Each structure stands twice: as C-alpha cells, then as structure tokens.
Amino acid sequence: MHDLIVIGGGPAGLAAALSAWENGIRDIVIVERDKELGGILNQCIHNGFGLHYFKEELTGPEYASRFIDMLNDTSVKVKLDTMVLELTPDKELHIVSSASGYEILKAKAVILAMGCRERTRGAIGIPGTRPSGIFTAGAAQRYVNMEGYLVGKKVVILGSGDIGLIMARRLTLEGAEVLACVEIMPYPGGLTRNIVQCLQDFNIPLYLSHTITKIHGSPRVEGVTIAKVDGQRKPVPGTEQYLECDTVLLSVGLIPENELSRKAGIEIDRRTGGPVVYENLETSVEGIFACGNVVHVHDLVDYVTNESLKAGKSAAEYILNFNDPTGNSVSPEHSDISDIRLVNGVGVSYTVPQLIRIPKNLMVNSSLSISDPDIELSDQLQDVEVFFRVNRKFGRSRIGVSLAGNELARFRRERLAPGEMEKIRLPKSLLMKCLQLGLSEIEIYAVDEMTGQASADNANETKITAVSQDSARRIQIIRQDR
Amino acid sequence: MTELICIVCPRGCHLQVDPENGCRVRGNQCPRGETYGRDELINPTRMITSTVRIKGAMYPRCPVKTSAPIPKHLISEAMKALDGITLNAPVKCGQVVVENVCGTGVSFITTRDMQQL
Ligand SMILES: Cc1cc2nc3c(=O)[nH]c(=O)nc-3n(C[C@H](O)[C@H](O)[C@H](O)COP(=O)(O)OP(=O)(O)OC[C@H]3O[C@@H](n4cnc5c(N)ncnc54)[C@H](O)[C@@H]3O)c2cc1C
Ligand code: SF4
C-alpha cells in the first residue's frame, strides 16, 4: 500500500504531490496517462502564467517545468503513459499501461487532479452537414503547438472561451485568417485581457449574442451561417450571414473530468461539475481529495497551484493521522464535526468549497465567549478562502455574505463578470458567529450597487432588505477589497 | 481620455489614460498598469510566443518566446524570422533561437527542455 497516489500530472497534481512531500509524506506516486508531466500547460505556449505565484510572466511549459524540476529533487514516483481506469471508495486504483499492463494499486489517500475536458455540445445541436474541419479549440491548440499541423486557413470560432481566443491569435500569427469569433451570450466567456490581445490586436470581430445556425460543406467545411440571437438565445430570423471558411473551432467551455470520481461514489456538485469539497479539499469520501480543474474550471493556473498545495497538505495530515498507531487523532472524528454549507445566493452560480467543517468542541466554547471570539479561536479556526463565479455581468457591486438573512460581511468590486473567477476570504469570526447562532448555512450573493438590484432578472429577492433590520445581532466584520 | 484595458495580468483593470496630461493613468490597481497604460499610448509592445521545428525530440515543434516585449507593429515581421528555423534535440529551456529580432535587441528563446529521443 502506498501513502498517497495522485491521479493526473498537470499543474494540480504536481503541486499537490510536492506539497504532500514537503509535509512529510515520502511514499507518493503520480499516475499520468500522457507521455510527459505538465498536463494542459504543455500545449499552452502563450505567456500569462505565474504572475501571482512566481511574480513573473511565464509560458505554460515554463510554468510546468518549474514544478517538474522541483519534483525531480524528491523521490516522488511518476508513472507516465498510465491510465487510471477505476477508483474504488476504499482507495484501490485499477490502472493500465503498455509497459506493465493491468495493475491494482492501493493507497491511504488519493488526490484527484484529472483536470477537465472540452465541451463539444455546441456542435451537436448545429444543423447542417458533418464535415471534417471542426475541432475543439484545445485539440487544435495541441495540433498546432505540439504536433505541428495548421488546422485550417479560414477559421470561424464558436464560443469566446479563453482557449478559443488564444487560438484566434495563434492561428493568425501562423498565417490563417480568423474571420470571426461568435458568442451566444451577450458577454465574452474569456478573460478581458484575451479579448484585447488576441482579438482586438488583430482586428478579429467578436459577435456577441450570435451563434452558428448552420454548417455547410462536405466532406470539408465550406462555410457557416451565423445569426443574432434573442434573449432566449433563439436565432432571430432575417439576421443570418454566410461566412466562407474551411475550419470551425469550438470554444464552448470545459467540463471537469469526473468519471472516476462518480464511480468511486464521490458526491458531485451539479453546478461545478466537480466533486463537492470541504475547505481542506477533501471530497465526500474520506481520504480522497481533489484539486485543480477537476473541482471547478479555473481561469488561472496560479489559483490551481494554491488550491493544490492546500490539497497536498490536507492529504499529508490525513496520512500522518492514519499512520499514527496510538490512534491519537490529529483531526477529530466525523461525529465531532459540524458542517456548514455555503449556499449560492442571487447572482452567484457556485462556490468552492461547498462545505466547511468546524470541530464541535468549538461550538461549546463559543456559546460562553461571545465577547471576543477572535482571541480564543485564533489557532483552532482559520479564515476560509472561497472561490465563486457570478452568473451575469455586474458594474460596481458588493459581494455579500449573510447568515439567516443578515449581511455580516461585504466585499466591494468595481465589476464582476462570469468569465472571471472571484475570491473572498471568509473571516473566522464569521464562521464563529455561524456556530454561535446554531446555523448551518452561509449565503454568498452579489448585488449591483448601481442599480441596487441583486440581479437584473431577479429583483424580487428579499435577502438584502433583511440587513437593515435586526441590527443588534449584526456584526460588522469586514470591509475588504482584493 | 483614452480607455484601455490593462493586459499585464489577468485582472484586466480598466485604465483611463490622459494623453494631454503627460499620459496620466487612472484605474490601475498596481504600478505595472501605470507603465502599461503609458507605453500602450506611446509605444505599444507585445510578447510573442510561437513554435519552431525541432528534429529528434518527442514532438516536432519546440515552443519559443521573445525574451522581452517587442513593438506591436513588428509582430508579423518577427514571426517571419522564425520561418525556416530547425532545432536539433536536445534543447534546454532559455536557449537562444534567433538573436536581435528585427533589430530590437530582443531574442527568441526556447521555453522548454526537449530531450533527444
Ligand atoms: C487553452 C488554455 C489556456 C489557458 N491559459 C491560461 C493563462 O493564460 N494563464 C493561466 O494562468 N492559466 C491558463 N489556463 C488555465 C490552466 O492551464 C489550467 O487551469 C490548469 O492547467 C489546470 O490544471 P490541472 O492540473 O487541474 O489540469 P490539467 O492541466 O488538465 O491536468 C490534468 C492531467 O490529468 C491527466 N489525467 C486525466 N485523467 C486521467 C486518468 N484517468 N489517468 C491518468 N491521468 C489522467 C491528464 O492527462 C492531464 O495531464 C489555460 C487553460 C487552457 C486549457
Ligand atoms: S493594473 Fe496591475 S493589477 Fe490591474 S491588470 Fe494591470 S497589472 Fe494587473
């Protein structure tokens, strides 16, 4: 039996393994199905990685090699060209490779770091022929940047996710003509910086609220019909235009890769498509942790790294506890734990983590020490970083955190967009308050301060007005910006 | 007043640059945005990343980048400097591929190690 097996050798798996190593675990195996480590970063040859973590701007391969180099200084074992076929709840892994055939490994703890795959859904619903010349943007990226094939000469991109935007620039630089990027939503899916430096720099038009209604050509793509869509995302008759092209790239989003997790009986969050995780990145199955794009789609690898370092540390704590023959629990038994669920309120589409575990003995103490919980709890309870996305564009706004309808913390933002992952830090005093009040839910929502509405399409929410009442119970916790 | 979006980091601050007032920059959340805003009006530059052919490695392409940003109007000319270049594995990350691209003093360098097969 191994101490730790990490599934996936992308940035998430690399950072998780390194962090477990740094926290004292020595018997670690990374299982990676590709023929090298680095995951998706190997094909992301553009720069823009590592500004937060390394404080310099690196390309994908450079970012990956920093971690691969660090890993080479450890005795972490790496199995390349090896696919994990199945994971069981008792942490048995069925793996297969051409080098050693079929094997079963067992571990005390497992970290899921399988990343995500590209959606192809956008293509399936499009009427017309089924010619060659239709690629997902990521597949095209791999062809162009690693295998050395130019996928086409006249290209239309469906969707404005980051990969599509990056590929618009990449193909232009390689001499292809990118005619348009067509996005069904009224806002772009990718980062603003990519709109600027990948589309605007090269005068590539971005059609918002548009979609491809028909693909023409056989056996190869010869053109597409695009049309404007209405508020219900239905094509508006009479707005069709024909674009002659030989290639269509799909950049319609990513889905966490969770077949293994599902089979292992891990609870999956429908909103993220990834496992439900606690603040320490443990899933609903004890000893199985998850990090990176398998949990939720990150737009920045730096956040993947931070999350994964935390997952590695948590797994290490779990293993050290497991190894302790005296049974002296480092972490308390589940029955002594209270779960707080983070609920996404108006304007917020999901949160990660979904659950926060708090030892119950804190609760007992807490009822005695309402006066100044911070001092007493400082080392037993920690602030919790929460990642989330909003479900529409916001101007100047605030992110509110409420307990039973009372807004206890707020975070200002100049603007919010679904394409950009947001992060707030829930102060432990707030978690403490939650325990004191005997509540098991914390709600996070976004409010547009300009319109005063929680959501343009959902203005009848009442959560916000509750704030002004009941001010006796209300504690002002923070006024924090990024 | 020129409205720009800072592209230095993924935060994408909305900048207002005033060409009259010595290109004073507002809306930046860090000093890099100020530099970017001013340069973008006076002399816009970009990093270029691309690939070159490589023989004897696991893949037929090796990724490269400019060692520093180069003027935006030189992008397509700089890309031409990469045509016809073939590396031989092994290469080390950071190895110079083309020196002094378009007279800018900036080089194209490799961005990964590639072992010989
Ligand atoms: C095109 C693109 C552009 C991006 N641009 C930027 C950017 O400019 N700046 C930035 O900061 N971030 C960027 N990102 C985001 C960043 O690259 C990702 O968030 C990050 O790579 C996710 O890391 P990961 O380890 O979770 O997943 P991945 O990198 O996808 O790694 C998952 C690994 O798991 C392996 N695996 C999966 N299933 C199995 C299995 N069953 N058995 C064995 N192995 C398995 C896969 O082969 C893969 O190597 C970009 C992402 C993409 C796709
Ligand atoms: S101003 Fe600073 S924080 Fe804002 S986008 Fe530019 S580099 Fe990033």
Coordinates of all heavy atoms in Angstrom, one line a residue, chain A residues 305-340:
Chain A
T305 N -2.6 26.1 -8.5 CA -1.4 25.8 -7.7 C -1.7 26.0 -6.2 O -1.5 25.1 -5.4 CB -0.2 26.6 -8.1 OG1 0.1 26.3 -9.5 CG2 1.0 26.3 -7.3
N306 N -2.3 27.1 -5.9 CA -2.6 27.4 -4.5 C -3.6 26.3 -3.9 O -3.4 25.8 -2.8 CB -3.2 28.8 -4.3 CG -2.1 29.8 -4.4 OD1 -0.9 29.5 -4.1 ND2 -2.4 31.0 -4.8
E307 N -4.6 26.1 -4.7 CA -5.6 25.1 -4.2 C -4.9 23.7 -4.0 O -5.2 23.0 -3.1 CB -6.7 25.0 -5.3 CG -7.9 24.2 -4.9 CD -8.9 24.3 -6.0 OE1 -9.7 25.3 -6.0 OE2 -9.0 23.4 -6.8
S308 N -4.1 23.4 -5.0 CA -3.5 22.1 -4.9 C -2.4 21.9 -3.8 O -2.3 20.8 -3.2 CB -2.8 21.8 -6.3 OG -3.7 22.0 -7.3
L309 N -1.7 23.0 -3.5 CA -0.8 23.0 -2.4 C -1.6 22.6 -1.1 O -1.2 21.9 -0.2 CB -0.1 24.3 -2.2 CG 0.9 24.6 -3.3 CD1 1.5 26.0 -3.2 CD2 2.1 23.6 -3.4
K310 N -2.8 23.2 -1.0 CA -3.6 23.0 0.2 C -4.1 21.6 0.2 O -4.1 20.9 1.3 CB -4.8 24.0 0.1 CG -5.5 24.2 1.5 CD -6.8 25.0 1.3 CE -6.6 26.4 1.0 NZ -8.0 27.1 0.7
A311 N -4.5 21.0 -1.0 CA -5.0 19.7 -1.0 C -3.9 18.7 -0.6 O -4.1 17.7 0.1 CB -5.5 19.3 -2.4
G312 N -2.6 19.0 -1.1 CA -1.5 18.1 -0.7 C -1.2 18.1 0.8 O -1.0 17.1 1.4
K313 N -1.3 19.3 1.4 CA -1.1 19.4 2.8 C -2.2 18.7 3.6 O -1.9 17.9 4.5 CB -1.1 20.9 3.2 CG -0.8 21.2 4.6 CD -0.4 22.7 4.8 CE -0.1 23.0 6.2 NZ -1.2 23.5 7.0
S314 N -3.4 18.8 3.1 CA -4.5 18.1 3.8 C -4.4 16.6 3.7 O -4.6 15.9 4.7 CB -5.9 18.5 3.2 OG -6.0 19.9 3.2
A315 N -4.0 16.2 2.5 CA -3.8 14.7 2.4 C -2.6 14.2 3.3 O -2.7 13.2 3.9 CB -3.5 14.4 0.9
A316 N -1.6 15.0 3.4 CA -0.5 14.7 4.3 C -1.0 14.6 5.7 O -0.6 13.6 6.4 CB 0.6 15.7 4.1
E317 N -1.8 15.5 6.1 CA -2.3 15.4 7.5 C -3.1 14.2 7.7 O -3.0 13.5 8.7 CB -3.1 16.7 7.8 CG -2.3 17.9 8.1 CD -3.1 19.2 8.1 OE1 -4.3 19.2 7.9 OE2 -2.4 20.3 8.1
Y318 N -3.9 13.9 6.7 CA -4.8 12.7 6.8 C -3.9 11.4 6.9 O -4.2 10.6 7.7 CB -5.6 12.6 5.6 CG -6.5 11.4 5.5 CD1 -7.8 11.4 6.1 CD2 -6.1 10.2 4.8 CE1 -8.5 10.2 6.1 CE2 -6.9 9.1 4.8 CZ -8.1 9.1 5.4 OH -8.9 8.0 5.4
I319 N -2.8 11.4 6.1 CA -2.0 10.2 6.1 C -1.2 10.0 7.4 O -1.1 9.0 8.0 CB -1.0 10.2 4.9 CG1 -1.8 10.2 3.6 CG2 0.0 9.1 5.0 CD1 -1.0 10.7 2.4
L320 N -0.7 11.2 7.9 CA 0.1 11.1 9.2 C -0.8 10.6 10.3 O -0.5 9.9 11.2 CB 0.7 12.5 9.5 CG 1.7 13.0 8.5 CD1 2.1 14.4 8.8 CD2 2.9 12.0 8.5
N321 N -2.1 11.1 10.3 CA -3.1 10.6 11.2 C -3.4 9.2 11.1 O -3.4 8.4 12.1 CB -4.3 11.5 11.0 CG -5.4 11.3 12.1 OD1 -5.0 10.9 13.2 ND2 -6.6 11.5 11.7
F322 N -3.5 8.7 9.9 CA -3.7 7.3 9.5 C -2.6 6.4 10.0 O -2.8 5.3 10.5 CB -3.8 7.3 8.0 CG -4.3 6.0 7.4 CD1 -5.6 6.0 6.9 CD2 -3.5 4.9 7.3 CE1 -6.1 4.8 6.3 CE2 -4.0 3.7 6.7 CZ -5.3 3.7 6.2
N323 N -1.4 7.0 9.9 CA -0.2 6.2 10.3 C 0.0 6.1 11.8 O 0.8 5.3 12.3 CB 1.1 6.8 9.7 CG 1.1 6.6 8.2 OD1 0.4 5.8 7.7 ND2 2.0 7.3 7.5
D324 N -0.6 7.1 12.5 CA -0.3 7.2 13.9 C -0.9 6.0 14.7 O -2.1 5.8 14.8 CB -1.0 8.5 14.4 CG -0.6 8.8 15.9 OD1 0.0 7.9 16.5 OD2 -1.0 9.8 16.4
P325 N 0.0 5.1 15.2 CA -0.5 3.8 15.8 C -1.3 4.0 17.1 O -2.2 3.2 17.4 CB 0.7 3.0 16.0 CG 1.8 4.0 16.1 CD 1.4 5.2 15.3
T326 N -1.0 5.1 17.8 CA -1.8 5.3 19.0 C -3.2 5.8 18.7 O -4.0 5.8 19.6 CB -1.1 6.5 19.8 OG1 -1.2 7.7 19.0 CG2 0.4 6.2 20.1
G327 N -3.5 6.1 17.5 CA -4.8 6.5 17.1 C -5.1 7.9 17.7 O -6.3 8.3 17.7
N328 N -4.1 8.6 18.1 CA -4.3 10.0 18.5 C -4.8 10.8 17.3 O -4.0 11.1 16.5 CB -3.1 10.6 19.1 CG -2.9 10.1 20.6 OD1 -3.8 9.7 21.2 ND2 -1.6 10.1 21.0
S329 N -6.0 11.2 17.3 CA -6.5 11.9 16.2 C -5.8 13.3 16.0 O -5.8 14.0 17.0 CB -8.0 12.1 16.3 OG -8.6 10.9 15.9
V330 N -5.3 13.5 14.9 CA -4.9 14.9 14.6 C -6.2 15.7 14.2 O -6.4 16.8 14.7 CB -3.9 14.9 13.4 CG1 -3.6 16.3 13.1 CG2 -2.7 14.1 13.8
S331 N -7.0 15.0 13.4 CA -8.2 15.7 13.0 C -9.3 14.9 13.7 O -9.3 13.7 13.8 CB -8.4 15.6 11.5 OG -8.4 14.3 11.1
P332 N -10.3 15.6 14.2 CA -11.4 15.0 15.0 C -12.2 14.0 14.2 O -12.3 14.1 13.0 CB -12.2 16.1 15.5 CG -11.7 17.3 14.8 CD -10.5 17.0 14.0
E333 N -12.9 13.1 14.9 CA -13.8 12.2 14.3 C -14.9 12.9 13.6 O -15.3 14.0 14.0 CB -14.4 11.2 15.3 CG -13.4 10.2 15.9 CD -13.0 9.2 14.8 OE1 -13.8 8.7 14.1 OE2 -11.8 9.0 14.7
H334 N -15.5 12.3 12.6 CA -16.6 13.0 11.9 C -17.8 13.3 12.8 O -18.4 14.4 12.6 CB -17.1 12.1 10.7 CG -16.2 12.2 9.6 ND1 -16.3 13.3 8.7 CD2 -15.1 11.5 9.2 CE1 -15.3 13.1 7.8 NE2 -14.6 12.1 8.1
S335 N -18.0 12.5 13.8 CA -19.2 12.8 14.6 C -19.0 14.1 15.5 O -19.9 14.6 16.0 CB -19.5 11.6 15.6 OG -18.3 11.3 16.3
D336 N -17.7 14.5 15.6 CA -17.5 15.7 16.4 C -17.4 16.9 15.5 O -16.9 18.0 15.9 CB -16.1 15.6 17.1 CG -16.2 14.4 18.1 OD1 -17.3 14.1 18.5 OD2 -15.1 13.8 18.3
I337 N -17.8 16.8 14.3 CA -17.7 17.9 13.3 C -19.0 18.4 12.9 O -20.0 17.7 12.8 CB -17.0 17.3 12.0 CG1 -15.7 16.7 12.3 CG2 -17.0 18.3 10.9 CD1 -14.6 17.7 12.3
S338 N -19.1 19.7 12.8 CA -20.3 20.3 12.3 C -20.0 20.8 10.9 O -19.0 21.4 10.6 CB -20.7 21.4 13.2 OG -21.6 22.3 12.6
D339 N -20.9 20.5 10.0 CA -20.7 21.0 8.6 C -21.5 22.3 8.4 O -22.7 22.4 8.7 CB -21.3 20.0 7.6 CG -20.3 18.8 7.4 OD1 -19.2 18.8 8.0 OD2 -20.7 17.8 6.7
I340 N -20.8 23.3 7.8 CA -21.5 24.5 7.3 C -21.6 24.4 5.8 O -20.5 24.2 5.2 CB -20.8 25.8 7.8 CG1 -20.8 25.8 9.3 CG2 -21.4 27.0 7.2 CD1 -20.2 27.0 9.9

